[in-house]
Amino acid sequence: MEIALPYRDHKRPLWLLSLFVPILGLIGPALYLLVSPSEFWLWLSPLFFYFGIPLLDALIGEDPSNPPESEVPALEADPYYRWITYLLVPVLWASFIAICVFVASQPLSATGLLAMIINTGGGLGFAINLGHEMGHKKSTLERWLAKLALAPACYGHFYIEHNRGHHRDVATPVDPASSRMGESIYRFVLREMPGGFRRAWQLERERLARCGKSPWSLDNEVLQPALISLALYGALVAALGWQILPFLLLSAFWGAFQLTSANYLEHYGLLRRKLENGRYEVCQPHHSWNSNHLFSNWALFHLQRHSDHHAHPTRRYQSLRNFPDLPRLPSGYFGMYLLAYVPPLWFRLMNPRLIAAVQGDAARINFQPGLRERLMRRYGLQEHAA
């Protein structure tokens, strides 16, 4: 007779290492100051994020395992996982401020500044991901920590836009944060960034109007993190001088572009069917691209198990599940970013995968307007009956 062993999360100690992810951005500046003032050091973190992590994903591979459902309540109640996200907020703020002090105090060339913008923006991308994880939770503490995590990137409106906009409209033509088949990431960013802000402001204006309040009230949850961002940037400019402002703004843009990059690949070309009543079908796991690559999932709090996240948005990162027969990415997010930045490579790899994921049914593809007929002819697509 076999005795069932108690469940143990084998990834548990790895999540603690997430506290050191922001410190990776400080390695280059530390080597610059302590070893030699060579700007080569400043490129170490960008090279690791965009080349080292995809290599580690390829070498370590995937982990499709799920926690038993009977263990999920205990797993979600375990404060260990929440405290990691709580502690990461001040770590991210301290890392961001330290990098700003380094940039303001060192005579960096244009290439050195570029390395630091990519480095800092990458860290802000992690901060947005942290805000994403906590912004879905119900406790007041976690929601305010989400706003604090988003503030250094000046992307506080994401708290509203993502939770109440993207999750409602995901994988439909009306969603600015769902990319379409044939749409490059560079066309997507021109639609996603302004569209996300407009949707967040509209959602908050409607909510406050129902409460009889002005959209310019301090109860506006778009304005709340924006004021935190303004206070932070104002303090940095006052302390370090106006010359730090272009660095701050460019780093914030690159951080936001990391979110755009994630949004671009998470639902590429996937479409929810429109029902006879005019509404779209309920979002299912097959309306998101999934990845089980172990290293990048650790770094991103299981963001890459995006299918379960959209089906169950309040489920915590440690208990997000893998499902069989999902649309699957061939690499973790960091490797897919590089492909997305070269649209011909992206289309060559992902369009056939998209067609296979929807079983050749054009009615399940979210096409870029104006390209539908051309893409259907090129790939021999047909629209199947519902």
Side-chain angles (χ1 to χ4, degrees):
M1 178 179 177
E2 293 185 4
I3 300 176
L5 296 175
Y7 172 74
R8 185 167 181 261
D9 179 13
H10 64 277
K11 298 178 186 176
R12 182 183 174 91
L14 289 176
W15 300 119
L16 188 62
L17 297 176
S18 300
L19 292 170
F20 297 96
V21 169
I23 298 175
L24 294 176
L26 296 174
I27 290 176
L31 293 171
Y32 180 97
L33 294 173
L34 299 175
V35 178
S36 66
S38 169
E39 293 183 352
F40 164 79
W41 304 121
L42 307 182
W43 287 98
L44 290 180
S45 292
L47 288 172
F48 175 73
F49 288 135
Y50 295 105
F51 294 95
I53 292 180
L55 179 61
L56 287 170
D57 272 340
L59 293 174
I60 297 173
E62 301 183 55
D63 174 27
S65 65
N66 294 329
E69 280 302 298
S70 60
E71 299 293 333
V72 168
L75 198 60
E76 298 234 335
D78 189 339
Y80 167 83
Y81 299 95
R82 290 196 299 277
W83 272 104
I84 290 173
T85 57
Y86 296 170
L87 292 172
L88 193 50
V89 175
V91 171
L92 282 163
W93 269 63
S95 174
F96 176 67
I97 293 170
I99 286 176
C100 291
V101 171
F102 170 80
V103 170
S105 61
Q106 301 302 314
L108 301 179
S109 69
T111 54
L113 283 171
L114 177 61
M116 291 308 300
I117 289 167
I118 296 173
N119 183 10
T120 309
L124 293 176
F126 280 106
I128 293 174
N129 182 56
L130 178 64
H132 166 263
E133 168 63 26
M134 291 191 292
H136 276 291
K137 304 308 177 282
K138 296 179 180 179
S139 75
T140 301
L141 172 61
E142 284 175 291
R143 294 190 173 203
W144 270 104
L145 285 173
K147 295 172 188 176
L148 285 170
L150 295 168
C154 294
Y155 223 69
H157 67 277
F158 175 74
Y159 171 82
I160 297 299
E161 194 282 324
H162 179 82
N163 293 0
R164 287 160 43 196
H166 176 58
H167 272 260
R168 178 193 66 191
D169 299 332
V170 63
T172 70
V174 300
D175 183 26
S178 293
S179 62
R180 302 159 176 168
M181 184 181 187
E183 181 179 31
S184 75
I185 193 171
Y186 304 109
R187 180 177 285 186
F188 176 67
V189 69
L190 297 177
R191 182 169 65 88
E192 187 249 11
M193 280 192 183
F197 182 81
R198 285 195 298 266
R199 182 164 61 182
W201 185 261
Q202 181 65 24
L203 287 167
E204 269 301 86
R205 186 170 67 177
E206 292 171 356
R207 181 185 72 83
L208 291 168
R210 292 193 295 269
C211 299
K213 296 180 180 180
S214 165
W216 298 103
S217 162
L218 287 178
D219 290 323
N220 187 324
E221 293 190 290
V222 173
L223 291 179
Q224 289 170 359
L227 291 172
I228 299 172
S229 300
L230 184 63
L232 173 61
Y233 278 42
L236 289 170
V237 168
L240 305 175
W242 284 102
Q243 67 272 14
I244 197 65
L245 187 58
F247 171 79
L248 292 173
L249 296 177
L250 289 170
S251 297
F253 171 79
W254 190 251
F257 189 65
Q258 303 314 289
L259 171 67
T260 294
S261 302
N263 280 336
Y264 179 74
L265 57 92
E266 284 167 350
H267 308 282
Y268 177 74
L270 298 172
L271 180 67
R272 289 155 58 195
R273 292 185 185 273
K274 200 167 191 177
L275 306 176
E276 291 182 359
N277 60 10
R279 296 185 177 183
Y280 288 95
E281 64 178 313
V282 174
C283 184
Q284 299 292 332
H286 62 264
H287 292 126
S288 304
W289 290 94
N290 219 56
S291 170
N292 287 310
H293 289 85
L294 183 60
F295 192 88
S296 50
N297 257 318
W298 156 70
L300 295 172
F301 291 111
H302 263 161
L303 177 67
Q304 299 174 156
R305 289 194 167 183
H306 211 63
S307 300
D308 196 19
H309 168 69
H310 268 277
H312 304 91
T314 61
R315 200 174 178 102
R316 293 184 180 273
Y317 67 92
Q318 66 269 26
S319 54
L320 287 173
R321 296 163 294 180
N322 170 55
F323 294 100
D325 303 321
L326 288 175
R328 297 200 181 279
L329 297 172
S331 176
Y333 279 15
F334 294 94
M336 299 307 297
Y337 289 173
L338 293 177
L339 284 169
Y341 299 159
V342 187
L345 292 180
W346 172 267
F347 296 143
R348 184 173 182 177
L349 176 71
M350 289 302 297
N351 285 352
R353 284 178 172 265
L354 170 62
I355 293 165
V358 301
Q359 299 177 328
D361 186 357
R364 295 170 57 191
I365 294 178
N366 185 9
F367 287 97
Q368 173 68 10
L371 296 181
R372 181 188 183 92
E373 298 304 322
R374 186 192 309 174
L375 289 169
M376 287 184 67
R377 286 195 305 271
R378 178 175 180 179
Y379 292 101
L381 292 169
Q382 295 181 350
E383 191 165 333
H384 300 167

